[in-house]
Amino acid sequence: MTARPVLAYPDPRLREEAQPVTEFGEPATALARDLIDTLRADGPAIGLAATQIGTPLRMLLVDMSGTGDAPEIYVNPEVLAEAQPGIAEERCLSLPGLVVRGFRAARLKVRFQDCQGDTHQRVLEGMQAVCFQHELDHFEGKLLVDRLWLPRRLWYQRKHRAPAAASLA
Ligand code: ZN
């Protein structure tokens, strides 16, 4: 149970592809607690991916309270169906100061496991669905900065001193 530092762009670990969680029970529960404690310490935020605290595993936290008081942990999550595309505004703890508007589905049917390895399905709507998609992007190493149009992306990269090569990636 530890709040860990949230990796900040352009930390290369944010670009790592996350691997499936295979150890359930205590190891998964410990990682879930770290995610919740970190969001409590570094929020307000409504979501956090394990990749952001330096563990490249497919576990994410959604907390619509923004304070860590209503945590939902999704292990090895996947989208089964999506609907209601619309424009959503997003922020990310790893990219402070950046607000990005873009297309996201406002309704998702998802499948995931819990920390014990049991499988569940549920429907997510609104910002909860948007947050889920945002955290899934972290598993693929995709960040909000990638969704900016080129001039603004270059400006943000320069401001954060990303290596020159990264601006072409
Ligand atoms: Zn994020």
Side-chain angles (χ1 to χ4, degrees):
M1 289 169 63
T2 318
R4 295 200 226 160
V6 176
L7 303 184
Y9 177 84
D11 192 307
R13 287 171 291 176
L14 288 169
R15 296 300 191 179
E16 272 181 53
E17 191 184 335
Q19 301 303 309
V21 172
T22 54
E23 290 180 50
F24 295 94
E26 188 43 45
T29 306
L31 177 57
R33 286 202 191 111
D34 283 359
L35 280 170
I36 295 164
D37 288 347
T38 302
L39 188 135
R40 280 200 181 117
D42 284 11
I46 59 169
L48 194 62
T51 327
Q52 289 176 277
I53 58 169
T55 301
L57 290 176
R58 301 180 85 87
M59 181 187 293
L60 66 86
L61 165 66
V62 174
D63 186 313
M64 297 310 290
S65 73
T67 54
D69 292 326
E72 296 168 15
I73 291 288
Y74 298 89
V75 179
N76 298 329
E78 54 187 322
V79 173
L80 300 178
E82 57 179 62
Q84 298 175 5
I87 301 278
E89 195 170 86
E90 295 170 47
R91 292 171 173 77
C92 181
L93 281 177
S94 295
L95 296 105
L98 194 64
V99 182
V100 176
R101 287 162 63 84
F103 281 100
R104 293 289 195 189
R107 188 178 164 87
L108 298 178
K109 186 177 179 186
V110 303
R111 179 164 61 204
F112 60 97
Q113 288 170 285
D114 58 31
C115 288
Q116 305 309 318
D118 294 326
T119 301
H120 307 270
Q121 282 189 21
R122 63 176 292 196
V123 171
L124 304 179
E125 297 187 80
M127 276 312 290
Q128 204 174 19
V130 170
C131 180
F132 191 91
Q133 291 161 90
H134 175 109
E135 307 310 335
L136 280 187
D137 281 351
H138 276 296
F139 293 159
E140 313 304 327
K142 291 188 215 158
L143 300 171
L144 279 187
V145 65
D146 308 335
R147 309 178 96 213
L148 298 173
W149 67 301
L150 189 61
R152 204 167 159 229
R153 195 189 321 155
L154 292 174
W155 165 79
Y156 191 84
Q157 285 169 341
R158 221 169 279 135
K159 193 174 142 191
H160 291 270
R161 298 196 185 93
S167 61
L168 301 171

